[in-house]
Amino acid sequence: MSEMDSALTDKNVLVHYMKLPLPDDKVQCEYIWIDGTGQGIRSKCRTLDFEPTDPKDCPIWNYDGSSTYQATGSDSDMYLHPVAIFRDPFRPGKNKLVLCEAYKYNNIPAETNKRHSCKRTMEKAKEEHPWFGIEQEYTLLDRSNHPFGWPKNGFPGPQGPYYCGIGVTGAFGRDVVEAHYRACLYAGIKIAGCNAEVMPSQWEFQVGPCEGIDIGDQLWVARYILNRVAEDFGIGVSYDAKPITGDWNGAGAHTNYSTKSMREPGGMKAIDEAIQKLSKHHDRHIKAYDPNEGKDNMRRLTGLHETSSIENFSAGVANRKASIRIPQQVFEDGMGYFEDRRPASNCDPYAVTEAIVVTTLLEK
Ligand code: ADP
Ligand code: MN
Ligand code: MN
Ligand code: MN
């Protein structure tokens, strides 16, 4: 047993307390928000004496921004504005997960509150009903931040058998993936699928298609649920874009996108026009596609391991080495959607989807 294993508790003991009958008029609400790193998720719980059915039913709350990299000690009070609610898979029954936007003491959105401006952008574009489906890749870690199931002082066999792999040498940590999928369905997340990835102990789940602001809300809560499920198993989650250097795939958040025009017969014309516009704003998108304005993606978008180069924009049918991929089926149908393969796994989906809508719908 390593030193850190002393933090593990026997989950069977908890079962008794989770089964205690609670008063009918008490509901536990876990408020969730994004911290000052733009990628870390925080949460804290409060009791309400009714069951909220709309985020507006949940009171505005506050927290200490000086402990989340979001404020100095002197003006440290920050506000939580509830914006979406989900069923809580960790505390079944009436209990809720409450996603919040973070505001500073003076009611200005926190720097990492990208939702505030994304919401306005989605509002402006609502006639085109923008849909998004995001493929969230991530890597499971053991308690010493080493990829889960990898040999302690070495590497597993080279990539090849792991993508959609099965078996004791092919899939590391499936229990987490399985539990997460069901917890998402319980919560009301529109989880679309999951698969094992190319690098061992790397996995993917997809959320969508969701319209407008909903994709960002759902993806952040799906990440929250993943971190909490993994915590229960004593396993860590990394959203780093390139967790292991060398001949190991990085992790992305491919963003699939369509508008009403693209989904209708002849939609290929709207798809081509959107890609044309994206080609002129590669830098804007790279800046928006990881929380460090391209620094994280620099390690990942090398042109190797099914990625495009970070330097240049490219697009192609069925091309996994391009910035934008048009799925073969979409090309054959002449309508549908396309995939932006550039967003890093630790991207903020609000920043990503806002950039896509601004470039493709709101600028001339
Ligand atoms: P890949 O072949 O790149 O691995 P996946 O099957 O993992 O693709 O993910 C495809 C994603 O595209 C899913 O999240 C799905 O919801 C989404 N999607 C499907 N149709 C559309 C559409 N018309 N507009 C936007 N997203 C869509
Ligand atoms: Mn996929
Ligand atoms: Mn993938
Ligand atoms: Mn993809």
Side-chain angles (χ1 to χ4, degrees):
M1 279 233 308
S2 78
E3 188 77 355
M4 280 180 290
D5 288 341
S6 60
L8 280 174
T9 57
D10 181 349
K11 300 293 177 192
N12 290 319
V13 179
L14 179 64
V15 172
H16 165 75
Y17 300 93
M18 295 308 287
K19 282 188 178 155
L20 288 176
L22 302 186
D24 271 347
D25 62 344
K26 299 296 175 203
V27 176
Q28 286 174 285
C29 289
E30 190 76 21
Y31 279 45
I32 299 170
W33 71 98
I34 298 156
D35 73 18
T37 65
Q39 43 186 323
I41 308 174
R42 309 286 177 121
S43 77
K44 61 175 186 163
C45 185
R46 69 183 290 169
T47 309
L48 294 188
D49 53 15
F50 62 93
E51 182 182 359
T53 56
D54 188 282
K56 290 194 190 75
D57 298 342
C58 303
I60 290 172
W61 202 14
N62 53 57
Y63 68 100
D64 166 17
S66 72
S67 301
T68 60
Y69 319 113
Q70 286 173 305
T72 58
S74 51
D75 274 316
S76 61
D77 281 2
M78 305 267 298
Y79 293 102
L80 292 171
H81 292 225
V83 291
I85 56 176
F86 297 86
R87 293 167 75 191
D88 184 346
F90 305 100
R91 302 177 180 123
K94 297 179 194 167
N95 307 301
K96 301 288 185 258
L97 300 177
V98 181
L99 180 70
C100 299
E101 276 190 36
Y103 287 81
K104 295 197 260 200
Y105 70 96
N106 53 7
N107 265 320
I108 289 173
E111 276 82 8
T112 53
N113 175 357
K114 308 280 183 201
R115 188 184 189 279
H116 179 82
S117 114
C118 181
K119 179 90 172 23
R120 288 159 183 230
T121 295
M122 292 301 172
E123 206 51 48
K124 286 185 202 148
K126 67 173 184 236
E127 261 154 46
E128 267 292 342
H129 297 277
W131 289 6
F132 301 90
I134 298 187
E135 304 166 51
Q136 177 67 63
E137 294 178 340
Y138 60 93
T139 306
L140 296 178
L141 304 175
D142 65 24
R143 298 175 71 81
S144 49
N145 281 334
H146 193 64
F148 182 74
W150 285 32
K152 269 286 155 275
N153 295 307
F155 295 92
Q159 294 187 160
Y162 308 112
Y163 168 73
C164 299
I166 59 164
V168 74
T169 56
F172 301 165
R174 190 186 299 278
D175 288 355
V176 173
V177 178
E178 209 57 35
H180 172 254
Y181 202 128
R182 298 181 65 90
C184 280
L185 288 174
Y186 178 89
I189 299 290
K190 206 171 165 195
I191 186 165
C194 74
N195 58 270
E197 267 305 335
V198 175
M199 185 180 95
S201 78
Q202 197 172 87
W203 297 82
E204 165 180 318
F205 65 86
Q206 305 100 32
V207 174
C210 297
E211 186 167 327
I213 198 72
D214 202 28
I215 187 69
D217 292 351
Q218 296 225 12
L219 190 67
W220 274 113
V221 174
R223 284 179 183 171
Y224 172 84
I225 293 172
L226 178 60
N227 291 6
R228 288 281 316 274
V229 165
E231 175 190 327
D232 280 352
F233 284 99
I235 289 177
V237 180
S238 170
Y239 296 95
D240 189 72
K242 188 79 176 184
I244 308 294
T245 51
D247 216 0
W248 304 99
N249 275 32
H254 298 166
T255 300
N256 299 270
Y257 171 61
S258 65
T259 60
K260 192 163 161 284
S261 313
M262 296 175 196
R263 294 187 293 267
E264 286 169 354
M268 200 48 131
K269 185 165 172 288
I271 290 177
D272 285 339
E273 283 166 7
I275 292 173
Q276 187 60 28
K277 288 177 176 169
L278 286 167
S279 75
K280 300 201 174 104
H281 294 285
H282 184 59
D283 292 351
R284 166 193 291 167
H285 286 263
I286 290 298
K287 265 206 164 110
Y289 284 4
D290 74 55
N292 294 303
E293 304 196 331
K295 282 206 191 72
D296 296 332
N297 250 338
M298 216 128 75
R299 292 179 284 123
R300 164 180 169 255
L301 296 179
T302 57
L304 300 172
H305 305 110
E306 299 173 52
T307 69
S308 58
S309 156
I310 195 168
E311 305 293 341
N312 306 305
F313 180 89
S314 55
V317 175
N319 187 353
R320 287 188 158 75
K321 292 188 57 109
S323 317
I324 304 286
R325 163 177 154 259
I326 300 170
Q328 184 66 37
Q329 189 63 51
V330 171
F331 183 70
E332 282 168 26
D333 296 344
M335 62 179 171
Y337 65 98
F338 63 84
E339 175 191 45
D340 191 334
R341 299 176 61 81
R342 295 170 294 176
S345 46
N346 63 349
C347 70
D348 186 329
Y350 297 128
V352 171
T353 56
E354 176 169 22
I356 291 174
V357 165
V358 165
T359 300
T360 64
L361 289 177
L362 300 181
E363 282 186 356
K364 283 278 166 296

